[in-house]
Amino acid sequence: MSTTSLTSRLPVPAHAALLREALLAADFTADGLLERLGAPAYAALARSETVPALRATRGDSPLETLVRLFLLQGAVPAERAAAALPLEECLTDGWLEREGDDVRAAVDVRPYGGPEGQDWFIVSDLGCAVGGAGGIGHKDEAVVLGVGGASTTLAGITVRTPVSSALDLGTGSGIQALHAAQHATLVTATDLNPRALDFTRLTLALSGAREAELLPGSLFEPVDGDTYDLIVSNPPFVISPGARLTYRDGGMGGDDLCRTLVQQAGERLNDGGYAQFLANWQHVEGEEWQDRLRSWVPRGCDAWIVQREVQDITQYAELWLRDSGDHREDQERYTERYEAWLDEFEARKTKAVGFGWITLRKNAAVASGAVEPSIVIEEWPHPVEQPLGDTVLAHFERQDYLRTHDDAALLADSFTLAPEVMQEQVGLPGAEDPEHVVLRQNRGMRRATKVDHVGAGFAGVCDGSLSAGRILDAIGQLMGEDPVLLRDRTPQAIRLLVEEGFLLPAREAQQG
């Protein structure tokens, strides 16, 4: 297994285009690897198990050579490497290093499929690509990791409308900057670790993307007073008793780094712009976690915050002690570090840690006081369907609609059932009527909600042709209920179905 040397020079992108041509010619792509290695070996790589991939690459084809070099990070005869890529240019630029008659990769190069089928490559330190030959567990504070679950999650939830300017704060190996380069005219990427900026430059060059503005520094310090249409960050959000590892430990107490990042983002957004983060937050004794996060939302912004997971403090400490490989040290040292984590949590009265997504939208109407901010904070640990960028965009559009429509306006408007919604009837076999009816989304957040017979009947006939009020009048006549009472009690249920995306205002649905 190869390990990275952080004292050696990093490659330069002078001949990145030549290397990219060679990688594509060999089918060293996400699809090509799946076809060559097979699903079991490909999945094993994600678990840091290399034996199946070694067995699948015993030949001497260019693709097998590239897998051995960049994914399995083994030595390959120079003659064999020369048949797969521009050897001299790769040696001169620093992508490869000589080892006698063999060559080795100097960095991890990992194929990554773009959202529209693009063939991209993420460059990171050897042994530090999540799911790579070495996996994570590196202790050097300057290490730069490759693609992991957190970074792909953030890429999937990001709103992808065309924008003039985008900021990737804490860029790491550059995956968010790479995505942003597809729909932003100008991309700025920052990182406290200068090595990360070098890796971002390599990732963009090897993926055939436009260059980005690369600025060193912490949080928003490097960008002075600039504002952006989109801000994304997968920050060092781990709540730890120190700042050992730059890629994960924020260096502030508790969840202060995530709080500071969110609170400062508001003044860095242009009107209508989005800021999207992954974050960890403390669950503190005597405090509702929702109230804690509500206090983070900056003035002039709407917010949607989703808690995806909660871990008690022991689970959380063990997760990140394993991440840094401390569990492989002597027991006494491991115990000391474990104790330090628990001491930190005890001092801050932290009983658990939440993980999730935070999305802000700058709203001029909110900033001026014309409307109240929409701040939705929810827990949703259930499976979702990525990408969710359009789902995030639709959430804020629905909030805008609901803020401008009181109950009377809702009843005067017409709606359609979202196309991905299915109805389920639950009850005992042979029963004349179901015990309850469930509306379920098969895409996006995959929400489900229980509705009564009126709600089920209402949703079932919403095709945009009749107003909500006229539909309720018809249901009242059919079921023998007072239409006036139905009009009084149903708007709240309609509002919930609209808020969660089961019903779409007919005009918005037609425009979409």
Side-chain angles (χ1 to χ4, degrees):
M1 180 179 69
S2 299
T3 57
T4 185
S5 172
L6 302 190
T7 59
S8 60
R9 71 181 180 93
L10 290 178
V12 296
H15 297 95
L18 278 179
L19 177 55
R20 175 176 172 79
E21 288 180 14
L23 299 179
L24 295 178
D27 209 14
F28 186 68
T29 63
D31 290 340
L33 288 179
L34 179 60
E35 182 176 349
R36 181 66 190 86
L37 299 180
Y42 195 65
L45 276 178
R47 302 190 300 270
S48 297
E49 295 291 345
T50 60
V51 173
L54 284 167
R55 291 171 62 86
T57 54
R58 290 171 170 169
D60 58 0
S61 71
L63 177 56
E64 290 166 301
T65 299
L66 294 171
V67 170
R68 291 259 173 165
L69 273 174
F70 291 118
L71 296 190
L72 305 180
Q73 295 160 13
V76 170
E79 182 179 352
R80 181 175 165 185
L85 43 68
L87 179 60
E88 292 307 317
E89 288 85 351
C90 287
L91 289 168
T92 300
D93 290 354
W95 297 95
L96 302 177
E97 297 174 344
R98 286 197 181 274
E99 190 176 90
D101 293 332
D102 296 337
V103 294
R104 283 185 179 273
V107 291
D108 185 294
V109 175
R110 196 151 301 260
Y112 177 78
E116 298 178 358
Q118 302 99 322
D119 290 317
W120 292 341
F121 301 94
I122 309 300
V123 188
S124 64
D125 274 314
L126 284 175
C128 297
V130 177
I136 54 178
H138 205 285
K139 292 188 175 63
D140 195 298
E141 64 176 16
V143 71
V144 177
L145 300 188
V147 180
S151 52
T152 55
T153 293
L154 178 59
I157 68 172
T158 300
V159 173
R160 297 297 176 192
T161 54
V163 295
S164 296
S165 57
L167 171 64
D168 175 14
L169 193 152
T171 186
S173 55
I175 179 175
Q176 309 305 330
L178 179 57
H179 277 276
Q182 312 308 305
H183 63 103
T185 303
L186 173 65
V187 176
T188 300
T190 71
D191 206 289
L192 181 63
N193 182 2
R195 286 173 54 81
L197 300 178
D198 292 332
F199 275 113
T200 294
R201 182 179 292 108
L202 296 172
T203 289
L204 294 173
L206 196 57
S207 298
R210 297 194 313 274
E211 293 184 3
E213 179 185 34
L214 305 176
L215 302 175
S218 177
L219 297 176
F220 290 103
E221 293 172 3
V223 298
D224 195 19
D226 294 341
T227 58
Y228 300 88
D229 301 314
L230 174 67
I231 299 172
V232 292
S233 183
N234 176 18
F237 52 65
V238 177
I239 301 171
S240 62
R244 293 171 58 204
L245 302 175
T246 303
Y247 73 87
R248 72 168 201 192
D249 300 323
M252 296 185 184
D255 52 17
D256 282 355
L257 182 134
C258 290
R259 175 185 57 79
T260 301
L261 180 62
V262 173
Q263 290 180 335
Q264 292 182 356
E267 61 187 16
R268 302 292 181 174
L269 281 174
N270 296 324
D271 184 43
Y274 287 86
Q276 298 186 262
F277 315 102
L278 300 186
N280 279 186
W281 44 79
Q282 296 165 228
H283 285 225
V284 178
E285 294 178 10
E287 176 188 69
E288 295 294 331
W289 66 270
Q290 296 94 333
D291 293 339
R292 185 179 192 85
L293 290 174
R294 189 171 286 106
S295 71
W296 291 11
V297 178
R299 183 180 180 278
C301 289
D302 298 316
W304 184 22
I305 301 174
V306 181
Q307 180 167 273
R308 294 287 290 154
E309 184 179 359
V310 180
Q311 290 186 327
D312 68 49
I313 57 175
T314 59
Q315 292 174 309
Y316 190 81
E318 291 162 13
L319 169 67
W320 295 109
L321 286 167
R322 287 194 301 271
D323 169 81
S324 55
D326 289 304
H327 64 301
R328 291 193 289 268
E329 293 188 351
D330 65 86
Q331 185 61 41
E332 183 177 352
R333 184 60 174 153
Y334 174 78
T335 300
E336 289 177 0
R337 286 186 168 156
Y338 201 150
E339 290 274 10
W341 283 74
L342 297 185
D343 287 344
E344 177 78 5
F345 287 133
E346 182 177 337
R348 296 182 178 277
K349 297 183 179 181
T350 301
K351 58 184 179 180
V353 177
F355 169 84
W357 318 325
I358 297 177
T359 298
L360 307 176
R361 183 188 61 168
K362 191 67 171 288
N363 188 331
V366 171
S368 67
V371 299
E372 289 295 315
S374 166
I375 301 176
V376 176
I377 303 174
E378 63 176 317
E379 186 165 16
W380 190 256
H382 311 294
V384 298
E385 182 182 280
Q386 288 273 36
L388 285 169
D390 289 344
T391 299
V392 172
L393 190 64
H395 166 88
F396 288 96
E397 291 173 346
R398 292 194 300 270
Q399 295 301 317
D400 288 342
Y401 173 85
L402 291 171
R403 274 189 295 207
T404 57
H405 286 70
D406 59 15
D407 288 355
L410 281 180
L411 293 176
D413 214 342
S414 57
F415 301 91
T416 62
L417 192 66
E420 72 274 10
V421 174
M422 302 295 290
Q423 177 177 301
E424 299 175 0
Q425 297 187 4
V426 181
L428 295 173
E432 184 175 346
D433 296 312
E435 293 180 16
H436 57 263
V437 176
V438 173
L439 300 181
R440 187 179 302 277
Q441 300 170 354
N442 289 322
R443 297 176 59 190
M445 294 294 286
R446 292 185 173 176
R447 298 186 188 276
T449 188
K450 187 187 299 185
V451 294
D452 60 17
H453 295 295
V454 172
F458 180 87
V461 297
C462 278
D463 60 3
S465 61
L466 295 175
S467 70
R470 291 185 62 186
I471 292 175
L472 290 178
D473 291 343
I475 290 175
Q477 291 180 356
L478 183 64
M479 300 181 65
E481 294 199 35
D482 186 343
V484 176
L485 294 179
L486 277 182
R487 281 175 172 259
D488 284 343
R489 76 167 193 255
T490 307
Q492 183 177 356
I494 297 174
R495 192 171 294 276
L496 178 63
L497 291 175
V498 172
E499 181 175 0
E500 295 191 340
F502 292 94
L503 291 179
L504 306 177
R507 283 171 294 181
E508 278 76 359
Q510 291 168 0
Q511 292 170 1

